[in-house]
């Protein structure tokens, strides 16, 4: 599969993957340029050059964009049940104190904080000790995965940063 990919700083680059598969909002496989396994967000693919006919789900470039949810508007009373459209987030792989701090920040920013990977989870925020089972389960159901290092940037700007 070949495609043009927009990196988070706006740079466009062509990539080719072999032995690729798709998982929700992601395409993953062996990158011929880096010669290693890589994961790419489908919403950052601007054009498929070859191989998109084999995608199970509609490719982003030829259908409605698979864009991440917009940054939420802060609101009160988020601890009950989330109203429709409110992004849900789970923090994993952090110390208890750090997780509590991140959860408070998420509540203040308008997120609904989950304690487990659920089918309606929007974001999984991973720390240094994140378990592979939660990450893989989230990835297969199309959850956006962000690192703890980039969570503050996302809250401030709404920009989801790729980790490359």
């Amino acid at each position: 599969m070949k495609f043009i990919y927009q990196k988070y700083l706006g740079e466009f680059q062509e990539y080719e993957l072999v032995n690729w598969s798709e998982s929700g909002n992601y395409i993953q496989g062996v990158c011929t340029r880096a010669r290693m396994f890589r994961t790419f967000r489908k919403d950052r693919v601007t054009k498929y050059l070859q191989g998109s006919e084999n995608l199970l789900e509609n490719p982003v470039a030829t259908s409605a964009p698979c864009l991440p949810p917009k940054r939420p508007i802060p609101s009160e009373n988020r601890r009950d049940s989330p109203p429709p459209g409110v992004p849900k987030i789970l923090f994993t792989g952090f110390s208890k104190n750090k997780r509590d701090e991140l959860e408070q920040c998420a509540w203040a920013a308008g997120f609904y904080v989950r304690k487990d990977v659920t089918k309606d989870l929007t974001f999984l925020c991973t720390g240094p000790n994140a378990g592979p089972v939660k990450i893989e389960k989230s990835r297969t159901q199309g959850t956006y995965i962000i690192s703890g290092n980039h969570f503050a940037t996302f809250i401030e700007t709404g920009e989801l940063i790729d980790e490359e």
Side-chain angles (χ1 to χ4, degrees):
M1 164 179 285
K2 287 185 181 180
F3 53 89
I4 306 294
Y5 189 78
Q6 183 177 9
K7 294 182 170 187
Y8 79 94
L9 292 177
E11 177 186 345
F12 292 89
Q13 191 162 15
E14 182 178 323
Y15 287 95
E16 182 177 7
L17 295 180
V18 294
N19 297 326
W20 62 272
S21 66
E22 99 183 273
S23 180
N25 293 322
Y26 298 93
I27 300 169
Q28 44 200 350
V30 178
C31 176
T32 58
R33 172 177 293 164
R35 295 183 181 168
M36 60 189 306
F37 186 82
R38 298 284 301 275
T39 300
F40 296 89
R41 288 180 23 201
K42 286 167 52 176
D43 64 318
R44 291 197 179 266
V45 174
T46 59
K47 183 176 183 181
Y48 289 96
L49 304 173
Q50 178 185 356
S52 66
E53 65 276 1
N54 296 322
L55 288 171
L56 298 175
E57 299 177 20
N58 290 332
V60 174
T62 60
S63 66
C66 180
L67 299 175
K70 293 186 178 182
R71 184 176 49 169
I73 299 169
S75 163
E76 298 298 322
N77 303 322
R78 293 286 175 135
R79 296 186 189 269
D80 298 328
S81 61
V86 173
K88 292 104 184 146
I89 190 166
L90 169 65
F91 296 93
T92 187
F94 298 98
S95 68
K96 181 179 178 352
N97 290 340
K98 181 65 174 174
R99 188 181 70 242
D100 289 345
E101 176 186 316
L102 290 167
E103 287 178 354
Q104 288 301 316
C105 183
W107 284 116
F111 286 87
Y112 185 82
V113 177
R114 292 279 190 205
K115 297 294 183 186
D116 295 304
V117 176
T118 61
K119 66 179 179 176
D120 64 344
L121 189 65
T122 314
F123 297 100
L124 177 69
C125 184
T126 60
N129 297 317
V133 173
K134 283 184 180 177
I135 292 171
E136 186 56 30
K137 183 176 180 184
S138 296
R139 181 170 280 135
T140 59
Q141 64 190 35
T143 301
Y144 290 96
I145 301 170
I146 60 175
S147 73
N149 296 333
H150 295 141
F151 178 68
T153 301
F154 177 62
I155 293 296
E156 185 177 316
T157 67
E159 177 76 19
L160 283 174
I161 298 175
D162 288 328
E163 304 237 22
E164 295 193 21

